[in-house]
Amino acid sequence: MSTRRKVSLITLGCARNEVDSEELAARIEDAGWDLADGADGADGADVVVVNTCGFIEAAKKDSIDTLLAAHDSGAKVVAAGCMAERYGRELAEALPEADAVIGFDDYTAIGERLDDVVAGRAHDAHTPRDRRTLLPISPVERAASRVAVPGHGGQDDLPDGVAPASGPRVLRRRLGGGPVAPLKLASGCDRRCTFCAIPAFRGAYVSRPPAEVLEEARWLAGHGARELVLVSENSTSYGKDLGDLRALEKLLPDLAAVDGIERVRVSYLQPAETRPGLIEAICGTPGVAPYFDMSFQHASGPVLRSMRRFGDRERFLGLLDQIRALAPEAGVRSNFIVGFPGETEDDVEELVRFLSAARLDAVGVFGYSDEDGTEAANLDGKLDPAEVAARVEELSSLAEELTAQRAEDRVGTRVRVLLEDKGEDGGFEGRAEHQAPEVDGTVLVRGEGLALGDIVAARVVDSDGVDLSADMS
């Protein structure tokens, strides 16, 4: 009988967390544990590891609820990820249902941590500190800390290297399968937005070397990936710590040329750092989706300056004009914060004017709330929560109407769709170039000879909200 024990790994939050979980999964298997299948959940698992999200209040609540549900399954429970890193000992004291709360520095020893949990040995949760004060690892240190790790399940090893905040990297194990895979460009953030706590617990910005990113792309292609989604806290900063601000522009053609990869998509671009050369690379490189995930956050100059960001309505519309001059059908999505301290009705109206003119494909609207340790939490001019909620409702309703109009504008055009799931009436559900996984709409394609994983050219015949229907005619 096998003496290997079983771990269920639950991932919450963003695509960056998905990559972290796949790296953790490889470490867990290398330490002699089995991973529960996704369908199994916590059933039969000795330990449930929850890779938490700590970005906003709703995400933190979801993380707590998931940890409590895992505890109710009867398995041992380990909290990992951003919320665990951000709160450490405070979370461990507030949530005794968790058998251990581990930080990023525990990832290299995840097998030992799981052994301790099963044996009932207490783990001393870390005291959080501002990771921005930690010096990023240098290329010399990176080379010196590389480790070789045996293959898992017949899969080839990834190149040696370092995952920021979690030590030497090991083989990544794909957890979700399917034709789409996130690929981490970097970790951390050097920006100082007043509303955001991410840099404090993710640390300073550290780019992965291009050769390492390319080697992982080849590995992903060999394990079924057709589309790569490049993720980081700020993709427009890629390469600045390597001494090359054009590193992403140079990397994109090489990624698109990887055998087996049909589409490369870049996520999370800072408007103030989106250079003309990068726009040209995204719009003009075959195999790179003309897709812009722009972090606008607002359109009023005074509010943006209070957020310690740059730009305004006119500058942002000018940026969109640059994009559409090169790729008229480019997809653009963004998120916006309303109810920021000091936001006036004039500021809201400025945002309304921007949204009405911007023709965005997908829009997320979030109400401001104080985040622990951020500068904005101490700003004057806080709005009543009821007023924040009213502004969220108003802007969300407008965004829903405008994005539906933008989708309707695509009726009659031809789109290239990556088929990902079986759809209704014998069709296939997938995403066009202007649609990112999970956060944007989908396309239902009908036609003969279709197969999962194909990228097909189809004509849009109808829209429903942000979702499209297309056929092969």
Side-chain angles (χ1 to χ4, degrees):
M1 295 181 61
S2 173
T3 59
R4 291 172 67 94
R5 295 153 297 177
K6 183 179 289 187
V7 176
S8 176
L9 182 56
I10 300 173
T11 305
L12 305 175
C14 64
R16 296 181 291 277
N17 260 16
E18 291 179 29
V19 179
D20 287 349
S21 284
E22 293 193 349
E23 293 176 354
L24 269 176
R27 295 181 187 276
I28 287 169
E29 283 195 331
D30 187 60
W33 292 72
D34 289 327
L35 284 164
D37 293 333
D40 293 341
D43 292 344
D46 298 282
V47 182
V48 178
V49 177
V50 180
N51 188 355
T52 61
C53 178
F55 181 41
I56 58 176
E57 200 61 38
K60 288 184 278 190
K61 181 181 184 304
D62 188 27
S63 294
I64 293 294
D65 290 345
T66 303
L67 287 163
L68 292 174
H71 171 75
D72 291 342
S73 73
K76 301 286 188 179
V77 179
V78 175
C82 291
M83 188 177 182
E85 173 64 35
R86 184 176 179 183
Y87 294 104
R89 183 168 291 127
E90 180 184 347
L91 177 62
E93 293 172 352
L95 194 72
E97 291 86 353
D99 296 277
V101 173
I102 65 173
F104 296 149
D105 292 338
D106 290 304
Y107 285 10
T108 55
I110 184 65
E112 297 173 28
R113 299 293 173 266
L114 298 179
D115 289 341
D116 289 342
V117 165
V118 169
R121 294 187 290 268
H123 172 65
D124 187 19
H126 66 286
T127 299
R129 76 274 200 209
D130 190 338
R131 298 190 73 93
R132 291 172 298 187
T133 63
L134 304 179
L135 293 175
I137 191 166
S138 71
V140 173
E141 291 171 317
R142 177 181 284 119
S145 64
R146 289 175 175 174
V147 294
V149 179
H152 300 259
Q155 299 175 345
D156 296 329
D157 286 346
L158 285 177
D160 301 336
V162 170
S166 58
R169 294 186 67 254
V170 298
L171 176 70
R172 174 178 171 178
R173 182 193 190 279
R174 290 205 70 188
L175 295 175
V180 183
L183 175 56
K184 190 189 297 182
L185 283 175
S187 186
C189 185
D190 287 339
R191 298 186 69 88
R192 295 294 183 268
C193 302
T194 57
F195 57 83
C196 185
I198 288 176
F201 60 83
R202 276 289 186 182
Y205 194 90
V206 181
S207 302
R208 296 179 63 195
E212 184 178 297
V213 176
L214 280 167
E215 192 60 33
E216 184 164 330
R218 297 185 189 103
W219 181 84
L220 288 168
H223 290 81
R226 302 290 304 282
E227 176 177 325
L228 302 177
V229 181
L230 307 184
V231 298
S232 71
E233 276 71 26
N234 173 13
S235 296
T236 41
S237 282
Y238 179 72
K240 70 176 186 179
D241 53 324
L242 303 176
D244 187 358
L245 286 174
R246 298 186 59 208
L248 183 55
E249 300 164 32
K250 298 173 183 177
L251 179 62
L252 287 175
D254 292 336
L255 285 170
V258 170
D259 189 31
I261 297 302
E262 299 290 336
R263 180 186 289 170
V264 177
R265 185 183 303 276
V266 185
S267 67
Y268 211 84
L269 305 172
Q270 287 285 350
E273 298 177 25
T274 303
R275 303 168 296 280
L278 181 57
I279 295 174
E280 293 169 5
I282 294 175
C283 290
T285 304
V288 175
Y291 175 84
F292 292 81
D293 175 15
M294 305 295 297
S295 174
F296 289 125
Q297 301 298 352
H298 212 283
S300 164
V303 173
L304 287 163
R305 287 190 289 275
S306 185
M307 291 177 170
R308 198 173 291 127
R309 297 175 67 85
F310 304 95
D312 53 34
R313 175 174 59 90
E314 292 184 356
R315 288 183 175 88
F316 291 165
L317 290 176
L319 180 59
L320 294 176
D321 286 343
Q322 291 180 49
I323 291 169
R324 288 168 176 151
L326 296 175
E329 297 302 324
V332 186
R333 83 165 332 271
S334 192
N335 293 324
F336 299 88
I337 298 173
V338 295
F340 193 78
E343 181 189 67
T344 65
E345 291 184 3
D346 287 344
D347 294 323
V348 175
E349 185 56 35
E350 187 74 346
L351 178 53
V352 168
R353 286 195 288 267
F354 172 72
L355 289 172
S356 299
R359 297 172 59 236
L360 303 179
D361 292 277
V363 173
V365 179
F366 300 91
Y368 171 82
S369 62
D370 289 339
E371 282 294 316
D372 298 335
T374 62
E375 190 174 333
N378 298 315
L379 291 178
D380 295 329
K382 300 287 177 59
L383 277 67
D384 185 273
E387 176 61 25
V388 175
R391 294 183 182 186
V392 170
E393 184 176 359
E394 174 191 354
L395 270 296
S396 296
S397 178
L398 175 64
E400 184 176 347
E401 177 184 346
L402 293 171
T403 53
Q405 290 175 2
R406 176 62 174 149
E408 188 175 353
D409 290 343
R410 294 187 182 274
V411 174
T413 66
R414 296 192 71 81
V415 291
R416 296 183 71 248
V417 184
L418 172 61
L419 305 179
E420 299 178 59
D421 293 297
K422 289 286 185 68
E424 302 172 356
D425 303 326
F428 285 78
E429 192 173 85
R431 290 173 302 99
E433 291 176 316
H434 70 277
Q435 298 167 320
E438 299 182 10
V439 294
D440 299 337
T442 60
V443 184
L444 180 64
V445 181
R446 294 182 177 87
E448 299 296 327
L450 302 178
L452 293 177
D454 284 351
I455 293 184
V456 300
R459 184 175 63 88
V460 180
V461 296
D462 197 8
S463 66
D464 181 9
V466 296
D467 297 325
L468 303 176
S469 297
D471 61 35
M472 300 296 293
S473 62

